[in-house]
Amino acid sequence: MLDPMSMSYQMMPGMHGGSYQQAAGGAGGRMISIELENFKSFKGHHTIPFTHFTAIIGPNGSGKSNLMDAISFVLGEKSSMLRVKTMKDLVHGAPVGKPVSNRAFVAMTFEENDGNQIEFCRIVTGPSSDYKINKKTCSSAEYQKELERIGILIKARNFLVFQGQVESIAMKNPKERTALFEEISKSGELVEEYEKRRIEAQKAEEETNNCFQKKKEAKKVRNEAKMEKEEADKYNRLKGELADLQVEQMVFKLFHAQRRIDEEQAVVNDRNKDLDKLSAKKAKAEEELKCLKKEAGRLFREQQTMEKQISEREMELNKKKPLFIKAKEKTAHLVKKLENTKKALVNAEKQHNDHQNEIREFEEQLERVEEERLRYEERAKEESQSQGRDIALEESQVKEYNRLKETVATQAAKYSSELDKLVRDQRSDEDKLDNEKRKQEELGARMKQKQTELSENQRRLQRLNDYINTAQSQIEEQRAEQTKLQTEVDSTNQRISEINKELEKVVAELGEAKTERHETGRMKRKAEVISTLKRLFSGVYGRLIDSCEPVKDKYKIAITKIMGKNMDAIVCDSEKTARDCIQYLKEQRIEPETFIPLDSVKAKPLDDKLREIREPVGVKLVIDVIKFDPPMIKKALLFACGNALVCETVDDARRVAFGGQKRLRTVALNGTVFEKSGIISGGLGDLKQKAKRWDEKAMTNLKQKKEEYMEELKEIMKSKRKESELTTIKSTITGLESRVKYSNIDVENTKERHIKQNERDIATLNAELELFEPRMLEIQDRMEAREQAISEIKVKRNKVEDEIFAEFCQAIGVENIRQYEEKELKSQQDRAKMRLEFENQKSRLQNRLAYERSRDTEANVRRMQSSVTEDQATLEKLRKEEQRQQELLDKDQQLLTDARDLIEEKCEALKEKNKEVDEAKRKVNNIGKDHMALQKEIAGLESRLEQRRADKHSLLETAKLESIDIPLLRGSLEDPDESQSRSSQGEPMDQSGESAAVARRSTLLYIKEAEIEVDFSNLTRELMNATSDDKFNRQNEKLKCKIAEIECQLNKMQPNSRAFEKMEEISERLHETSEEFENLRREARRAKMTFEKVRKERYDRFDRCFTHIANNIDHIYKGLCQNPGAQAFLGPENAEEPYMDGLAFNCVAPGKRYRPMDNLSGGEKTIAALALLFSIQSFQPAPFFVLDEVDAALDNTNIGKVVQFIQSQSKTNFQCIVISLKDEFFSKADTLVGVYSSQGETGPMSQILTLDLTQYPETAAANA
């Protein structure tokens, strides 16, 4: 297997818990022995030897702490720290009033690294003590100095830890800890000087300000004296000559000063011209930028206006769509209504035609009946004539027939009356029967009409139901479409909300990512390395962290802890690919990387039994909570994670790790790891930071996600226009529901009113028709019975008639009279019957014809035709309205489309304009940089020009002071500074604003002096041509010599005017004041520099100490804890001057989260205190440590760790003397010093026993 760590060609330095670093120049040597005489509980003389690791043991009260006091005493500790009130109480027996001697002493023999031995001795003599070094008496200061030389700091007590003080070291407040560091670093020695120099600097600054005010007053007095001098020496000839020379010299200096000013001014003017050109160019570029911004703003406003117009047009279009739909629905409704009306018209016309055909048929039947009647009458007449020729009676026979008839009538009157009555009744019943039949026919016709109406209503009901079903199906379709659109709109709105939330998250994450630009830059470089390696080597899969992720966020810290350094390892297919990548990284000088080759890496197989753990709940294999892709990296994950288990809590992780038959490697969700070896490690703070790496790999997709979300949002906003379609569908559904509602009402009316009324009428008619049959049967039965009675009466009457007409019948040759009469009567009756039948048929046909004529079916046709005509006209109007609405919609839609096309063009134009704006901004920035550079150059030139002007001002100031009358062409030498001072006397001025006021006065002064034009016409050409420095100096020296000669003459002369003396006095005073001011300024600068030097020295001392200790304390704490998961750190509260505030000290115990120092256990505080002590020792190493029962709060495990640390350090770095009552501690020492107590005359006495443990092989081997 190719070990991943071996693949890195550059190994970073490791961190070892036992490492211990000393500051440069650390002390060496050790304490050989201690001699005591009559010191506290030690009576008499005692010598105690010490080795590199010595343990002092003994029962409580035996005097171990007194031995600690003896060491402290000989090392210069005060008596107040030795548990006594006065120095003489240190003598044995003195506290009980029985001192065994008037003196006591403690001597320490110290051996340096070169073998040189030094004896330090301190003697108690009464209330004081004496000091000796190598038997020679010395002062306390010399004694302490020698101790400091070997590394013993009395004030810092960097070598002593008294009983019970170990926790107090860890629990010091930040200020006390700062004071300790001041003592250790010796920066505390500079506190007094620091304060002194600070006060001196402040005082020098105040004196400088006071002197400046004094100088101002002196100048004011000088100006007054100047006026007196000018008046007194006005006519002095010699003074005039001197003045002429001074004028010549001054004009000479002013000429060349002005020449230099003009030259500098010319350069400045040239640069200013360049600056003006550049400013103009910049202004032009800014104006162009302004115009471009204005144009971009205009385009943006136009875009916004057009978007608003589009929105308004969409709203207007949405308002017009329902009108169009409503018009379309009205048209469709009217079309259907017109179709129904036309169908009804066709039915009405058909009914009317059928009705007319029936009328014509009845008329034709009536005509046929009349023709039949007429033909029958003709036939009857012919038959009557033919019968009359057969039987002809004579007149006598006729008379006889009549007489006999009268006789028969007389004799058969009874029968005749009965017969007549029965015949009348019979005829009456016949009429009734005919009437019933006619009524029955009429009811049948009415029944047929009602059935026709019922059929029409049923057909209308069917059409209404069909329309309702069609409308319902349309409503369902529209509702389905509405639901679909509503779902789309809701999902669109929901998606918009989701996208906005996602955008907010992405923007927030992008904002957080910007706060870690450095780390992001490093990750970007690492990503570029991966991209390059993938491009160059096909077998590179990428980093392990980029190929996997936790299934849940809660596992991030645990997975980060388990994977450790392998998170950033690069997975590749083979060892050869890994080596090629390493070679490439070396050649490109890229920072080292770790590789995991899949062909050679050895990963332990998964133990599937671990997946069966049910208690505690939530225990899983780490690899089971990781999602990875591609599948081939599983081997790399097995190598990184192994069979590690992740648990919900620390307790669960501990129980799973150590509670079974075999130990397992577990990790809690907070990152605490329990190794099989028993080591527990944590570090939640660092793990949380590292766990963020899982989120960092998603940062690269944030911008892409943002763009995708913006594009999706743009597309979704287009689909949001379906809301108008949804509104249209809703209005359509409302119209259809309204029509269905009215159709349902019509159905109910048709069903409940018309059809039921038809059915009731038909039922009534059926009931009436059913009543006709019984009545007609009754009439028929009655007529049959009457017909039988008539027959019987006719038989009786015929018998009478046969008796009377017997002879007559015989005479006419007939069997009986009835035979004759029957022929005649039968024909008459037949004719009468036929006539009656014809009359009945005519009457029936006439009644039916009258009824049919009474039915006005043509009115229904006319009504239907009128309705069709009206509906067609209305339909034409509605179609025109629909067409108009369609045209309006098409027009608005076209305008909307054109507007959208135009806004897209505007968007493109805006993008182009924004590009131009960005380009203009870059141009303005570049010009601005050139402008700023030229301004800096001009500022430098102006500074030089200012210096030249200051030189000229000094010359003019000298001329004014010495009253040199310079020839002027323009201006005056009146002191502008004085006038400015007078004008500003009433203004308040503080120290901070003084420099600004001076600068303003200087500017005004130079402006005033620029107005002065000196007359150089009297200046010789030789003086004018002295342009070089050498020529200028030679000519100036000549003029000085001449002026000196004249001044010498003037000094020999004794003028009477006192003004000159006063002027000299005042000038001298001003000169002294100026010198004093300059001296004070120098002194102030010197004082400030001195203070800064002291401050820097104090800071350097403190920082050197603090930096060293802060850098070492974590290593030492890990060494004491023997756990790399332990953490200790120091931090200043004031980073600039840390000695002015406190120092924070915190520790994180192994396997635990961070807690304040107050909340740590006693053992944890002891370990922390020892780490701090040993860190201090590493900076200011004392040759030995004396520890008094520092193990009191430690358990056996921690005692073993502390002992191992002390053993390792006592061999090379320092000597350790410990007082302990625990055998786990002192059994590891090289030498044991036993202290026991015995009873003496003055009380308990301490005795000493020593034991060299190195003489015992087992102990020595165990210690080794």
Side-chain angles (χ1 to χ4, degrees), residues 34-39 42-48 105 107 1247-1248:
I34 288 288
E35 293 184 31
L36 301 90
E37 183 175 295
N38 296 327
F39 185 82
F42 293 88
K43 183 180 179 182
H45 187 275
H46 300 272
T47 299
I48 306 169
F105 77 90
Q1247 302 295 330
I1248 298 296

Short mmCIF file of all heavy atoms in Angstrom, two decimals, residues 34-39 42-48 105 107 1247-1248:
data_model
loop_
_atom_site.label_atom_id
_atom_site.label_comp_id
_atom_site.label_asym_id
_atom_site.label_seq_id
_atom_site.Cartn_x
_atom_site.Cartn_y
_atom_site.Cartn_z
N ILE A 34 21.12 22.05 50.38
CA ILE A 34 20.65 23.10 51.29
C ILE A 34 21.19 22.76 52.69
O ILE A 34 21.06 21.62 53.16
CB ILE A 34 19.12 23.19 51.31
CG1 ILE A 34 18.59 23.79 50.00
CG2 ILE A 34 18.63 24.03 52.48
CD1 ILE A 34 18.84 25.26 49.85
N GLU A 35 21.74 23.78 53.34
CA GLU A 35 22.18 23.63 54.74
C GLU A 35 21.31 24.51 55.61
O GLU A 35 21.10 25.68 55.30
CB GLU A 35 23.66 24.04 54.89
CG GLU A 35 24.63 23.12 54.17
CD GLU A 35 26.07 23.52 54.44
OE1 GLU A 35 26.33 24.04 55.53
OE2 GLU A 35 26.89 23.32 53.53
N LEU A 36 20.82 23.93 56.71
CA LEU A 36 19.95 24.66 57.62
C LEU A 36 20.54 24.58 59.03
O LEU A 36 21.10 23.55 59.43
CB LEU A 36 18.52 24.07 57.65
CG LEU A 36 17.73 24.00 56.36
CD1 LEU A 36 17.98 22.69 55.67
CD2 LEU A 36 16.25 24.17 56.67
N GLU A 37 20.34 25.64 59.75
CA GLU A 37 20.77 25.62 61.15
C GLU A 37 19.77 26.43 61.95
O GLU A 37 19.59 27.64 61.72
CB GLU A 37 22.18 26.20 61.32
CG GLU A 37 22.66 26.13 62.78
CD GLU A 37 24.10 26.58 62.92
OE1 GLU A 37 24.98 25.91 62.37
OE2 GLU A 37 24.31 27.65 63.52
N ASN A 38 19.10 25.69 62.86
CA ASN A 38 18.14 26.31 63.78
C ASN A 38 17.07 27.11 63.01
O ASN A 38 16.63 28.17 63.46
CB ASN A 38 18.86 27.21 64.79
CG ASN A 38 19.78 26.42 65.69
OD1 ASN A 38 19.51 25.27 66.03
ND2 ASN A 38 20.91 27.04 66.09
N PHE A 39 16.66 26.61 61.89
CA PHE A 39 15.64 27.31 61.07
C PHE A 39 14.29 26.67 61.31
O PHE A 39 14.09 25.48 61.03
CB PHE A 39 16.02 27.25 59.60
CG PHE A 39 15.08 28.04 58.71
CD1 PHE A 39 15.24 29.40 58.58
CD2 PHE A 39 14.02 27.42 58.07
CE1 PHE A 39 14.39 30.13 57.77
CE2 PHE A 39 13.16 28.15 57.28
CZ PHE A 39 13.35 29.52 57.12
N PHE A 42 13.64 22.97 62.29
CA PHE A 42 14.89 22.22 62.14
C PHE A 42 15.92 22.72 63.16
O PHE A 42 16.49 23.82 63.00
CB PHE A 42 15.45 22.38 60.70
CG PHE A 42 14.59 21.74 59.65
CD1 PHE A 42 13.55 22.44 59.06
CD2 PHE A 42 14.80 20.43 59.27
CE1 PHE A 42 12.77 21.86 58.10
CE2 PHE A 42 14.02 19.84 58.31
CZ PHE A 42 12.99 20.55 57.72
N LYS A 43 16.10 21.96 64.22
CA LYS A 43 17.06 22.33 65.27
C LYS A 43 18.43 21.76 64.92
O LYS A 43 18.57 20.63 64.47
CB LYS A 43 16.62 21.77 66.62
CG LYS A 43 17.52 22.15 67.78
CD LYS A 43 17.02 21.56 69.09
CE LYS A 43 17.93 21.92 70.25
NZ LYS A 43 17.49 21.31 71.52
N GLY A 44 19.43 22.61 65.13
CA GLY A 44 20.77 22.17 64.84
C GLY A 44 21.10 22.32 63.37
O GLY A 44 20.46 23.08 62.63
N HIS A 45 22.14 21.59 62.94
CA HIS A 45 22.65 21.72 61.57
C HIS A 45 22.18 20.53 60.75
O HIS A 45 22.32 19.38 61.17
CB HIS A 45 24.18 21.80 61.59
CG HIS A 45 24.76 22.12 60.25
ND1 HIS A 45 25.02 21.16 59.32
CD2 HIS A 45 25.12 23.31 59.70
CE1 HIS A 45 25.52 21.71 58.24
NE2 HIS A 45 25.60 23.04 58.45
N HIS A 46 21.66 20.84 59.55
CA HIS A 46 21.17 19.80 58.64
C HIS A 46 21.64 20.12 57.23
O HIS A 46 21.62 21.29 56.80
CB HIS A 46 19.64 19.73 58.63
CG HIS A 46 19.04 19.40 59.97
ND1 HIS A 46 18.83 18.12 60.41
CD2 HIS A 46 18.61 20.24 60.98
CE1 HIS A 46 18.29 18.15 61.60
NE2 HIS A 46 18.15 19.44 61.98
N THR A 47 22.05 19.09 56.51
CA THR A 47 22.45 19.24 55.10
C THR A 47 21.55 18.32 54.27
O THR A 47 21.48 17.11 54.52
CB THR A 47 23.92 18.87 54.89
OG1 THR A 47 24.73 19.75 55.68
CG2 THR A 47 24.28 19.04 53.40
N ILE A 48 20.91 18.90 53.28
CA ILE A 48 19.94 18.14 52.45
C ILE A 48 20.43 18.16 51.02
O ILE A 48 20.51 19.24 50.39
CB ILE A 48 18.55 18.75 52.53
CG1 ILE A 48 18.10 18.86 54.00
CG2 ILE A 48 17.55 17.94 51.74
CD1 ILE A 48 16.86 19.67 54.21
N PHE A 105 20.49 30.24 60.05
CA PHE A 105 20.86 30.52 58.66
C PHE A 105 20.42 29.36 57.76
O PHE A 105 20.23 28.23 58.22
CB PHE A 105 22.36 30.78 58.52
CG PHE A 105 23.21 29.53 58.55
CD1 PHE A 105 23.52 28.86 57.38
CD2 PHE A 105 23.67 29.02 59.76
CE1 PHE A 105 24.29 27.71 57.41
CE2 PHE A 105 24.44 27.87 59.78
CZ PHE A 105 24.75 27.21 58.62
N ALA A 107 21.80 27.98 53.86
CA ALA A 107 22.78 28.14 52.78
C ALA A 107 22.42 27.19 51.64
O ALA A 107 22.02 26.05 51.86
CB ALA A 107 24.19 27.86 53.29
N GLN A 1247 13.42 16.12 61.43
CA GLN A 1247 14.63 15.38 61.11
C GLN A 1247 14.59 14.99 59.63
O GLN A 1247 13.53 14.92 59.01
CB GLN A 1247 14.73 14.11 61.99
CG GLN A 1247 14.72 14.39 63.49
CD GLN A 1247 15.96 15.17 63.94
OE1 GLN A 1247 17.03 15.04 63.34
NE2 GLN A 1247 15.81 15.95 65.01
N ILE A 1248 15.75 14.68 59.09
CA ILE A 1248 15.88 14.45 57.65
C ILE A 1248 16.44 13.06 57.40
O ILE A 1248 17.37 12.60 58.07
CB ILE A 1248 16.82 15.49 57.00
CG1 ILE A 1248 16.25 16.89 57.17
CG2 ILE A 1248 17.03 15.18 55.53
CD1 ILE A 1248 14.94 17.12 56.46
#
